[in-house]
Structures are given as C-alpha cells and as structure tokens.
C-alpha cells in the first residue's frame, strides 16, 4: 500500500468560547499566529506530503496572500474556505486533497503542540489498521452533573480516554464516513466518531498532556507556559 499523506488542518472556526473578535487561530501564541505552530510541525514532518488548510471565508485572502508566503513551507499547501461546522470544513477540505493521496491526517489548527513524533506514530498506526487517533487516558474522577450543578453519577474512569488530534484515516474511509454522516444528519466533534459509526475499528496511539486544544482564554496562558517550558527544555 502506498503511503502518501495529506494533512488537513481545520482552521475555519469562529472561536466562540474564546470570545475574541479575531478568531482564536489568528491570535498570537509565542509571537506567531496560533495556527502557524501546527503548520510548521506538519511542514517539518517528512511523512506529510501535502497540506490542506481550511480557513474562514473572510480570512481566505489574508491566508493565501500573506500568511502562507511568509512561512516559506517547503511542501504543497492549498487553502480552502471552510463551512459552518467543523465537519463541514473537513468535508470541504477533503475535496481539495490530491487524488494520489493514500491517507489523510486531520489536525486541528487549535492544537499547536503536536509533535513530529506524534504525527509519525499516528500515521504508522493508520498504515497498519486504516484508522488511528491520538488520545490520553483520563486521570481525574469523572462525574455526570446536572445543569444546576448537582452530581448525578460517577462514571467508571477505567477505559475512558480524551480524544485529541492528529487523527489519520485511509482517504476512502474518511470520505465515506463524512458522506454517511451527512446523509444521516449526524453531528460530530471529531472525525473518528464518523468512522466509528461505519463499524470500523479506530486505533488509539498515545497523545500528550501538552497537546492541548486552545479553546478558552486561560488556554492561551497555558500555551505560553508550555512554550516557555520547552524553551527551558522542560516538558510536562
Ligand atoms: N473548525 C473549522 N470549521 C468550523 C469550526 C471549527 O475548521 N466551522 C476548526 C477550528 O478552527 C479549530 C478546530 O476546528 O481549529 C477545532 O474546533 P474548536 O476548537 O471547537 O474551534 P471553534 O469551533 O472555532 O471554537 P468554538 O467551538 O469555541 O466556537
Ligand atoms: Mg467548535
């Protein structure tokens, strides 16, 4: 089986939970727009052949004409306009993947601390099994809580993992999963869910505590702390 990998980067959200005027993927982290961090890692990972960056319509011109040229990435990169929901953005991005790709690696622009090693491990697992995601086991006790803040139940933490990205799939499998999800009117916050629904087995490889998604304002502080720790050769 071939092993050409397209990296699809959803960056077309509005960042409602961040609450800033500028969508969070364009806010500064370590002196660069947030989305640049993931793009640099995907650009540096030899296993990635091409990159598809999915951005809000309003930011298409800026990304195409200013942001990407300033990065000087040494592999083909296409910019695509996204849709209303994350799954719409991924579906639109899939349409731009070159026909000779064997796998698609989906990685959220909002996760700046992905590593080349994580990318390689996820791709290796997908080559063997067809579908893989990175995830970490839950560490805390998990409660189901009512809207008025009363504990309803305590879940058994055993076997509960937190899904991250990258998530890697044989391209035909992910296209089929998105088509079926669309046909069935399913809402999905990650791609693995759509593939699971096909009855396909998705394998899990270790993510990391550092591979956070920048979602709320406090996550930007955490992000700066992770960058500072890395600069001091520390890791959490
Ligand atoms: N995303 C996207 N298109 C959308 C919605 C989300 O490409 N219509 C992207 C985001 O830009 C982000 C990733 O999917 O890189 C993960 O989504 P999330 O963290 O939920 O970002 P937002 O949807 O922008 O944030 P919020 O849910 O707080 O509005
Ligand atoms: Mg969202």
């Amino acid at each position: 089986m071939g092993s050409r990998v397209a990296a699809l980067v959803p960056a077309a959200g509005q960042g409602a939970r961040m609450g800033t005027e500028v969508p969070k993927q364009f806010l500064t982290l370590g002196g660069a727009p947030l989305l640049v961090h993931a793009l640099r890692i995907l650009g540096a990972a030899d296993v990635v052949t091409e990159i598809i960056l999915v951005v809000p319509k309003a930011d298409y011109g800026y990304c195409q004409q200013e942001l990407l040229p300033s990065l000087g990435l040494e592999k083909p990169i296409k910019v695509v306009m996204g849709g209303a929901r994350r799954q719409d953005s991924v579906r639109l991005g899939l349409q731009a993947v070159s026909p000779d790709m064997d796998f698609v690696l989906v990685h959220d622009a909002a996760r700046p601390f992905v590593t080349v090693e994580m990318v390689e491990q996820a791709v290796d697992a997908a080559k063997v099994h067809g579908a893989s995601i990175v995830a970490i086991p839950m560490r805390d006790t998990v409660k189901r809580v009512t809207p008025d803040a009363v504990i309803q139940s305590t879940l058994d933490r055993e076997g509960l993992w937190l899904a991250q990205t990258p998530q890697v799939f044989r391209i035909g499998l992910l296209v089929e999963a998105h088509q079926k999800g669309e046909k069935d009117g399913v809402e999905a916050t990650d791609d693995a869910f759509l593939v699971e629904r096909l009855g396909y087995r998705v394998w899990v490889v270790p993510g990391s505590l550092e591979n956070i998604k920048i979602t709320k304002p406090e996550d930007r502080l955490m992000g700066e702390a992770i960058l500072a720790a890395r600069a001091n050769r520390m890791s959490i």
Side-chain angles (χ1 to χ4, degrees), residues 13-17 24 84-86 189 213 215:
Q14 293 305 315
R17 286 170 289 178
K24 64 184 181 183
R85 302 167 302 172
R86 182 186 181 281
T189 51
K213 183 157 72 67
T215 304

Side-chain angles (χ1 to χ4, degrees), residues 27-54:
L27 296 175
T28 302
L29 176 75
L34 174 58
L35 58 77
V36 164
H37 295 267
L39 291 176
R40 284 199 196 284
I41 296 298
L42 295 169
D46 287 340
V47 72
V48 171
T49 311
E50 69 173 12
I51 299 174
I52 314 291
L53 175 65
V54 190

Side-chain angles (χ1 to χ4, degrees), residues 71-168:
L71 296 183
L73 295 180
E74 285 171 7
K75 60 183 70 167
I77 172 156
K78 291 179 211 163
V79 187
V80 173
M81 292 182 197
R85 302 167 302 172
R86 182 186 181 281
Q87 67 203 81
D88 301 318
S89 296
V90 172
R91 202 178 55 251
L92 291 164
L94 283 172
Q95 294 171 6
V97 170
S98 298
D100 58 342
M101 293 295 137
D102 303 294
F103 293 90
V104 59
L105 174 150
V106 183
H107 179 69
D108 287 335
R111 289 191 193 272
F113 300 113
V114 60
T115 62
V116 169
E117 191 188 16
M118 216 180 279
V119 166
E120 288 170 349
Q121 287 182 2
V123 169
D124 284 347
K127 282 185 191 168
V128 176
H129 302 292
S132 73
I133 74 165
V134 306
I136 53 173
M138 294 226 46
R139 316 170 122 201
D140 298 347
T141 301
V142 187
K143 307 288 190 188
R144 186 181 300 284
V145 178
T146 64
D148 47 347
V150 178
I151 294 175
Q152 233 170 16
S153 61
T154 300
L155 278 65
D156 183 0
R157 187 180 56 208
E158 183 66 31
L160 289 183
W161 292 59
L162 298 168
Q164 302 182 339
T165 66
Q167 303 193 344
V168 189

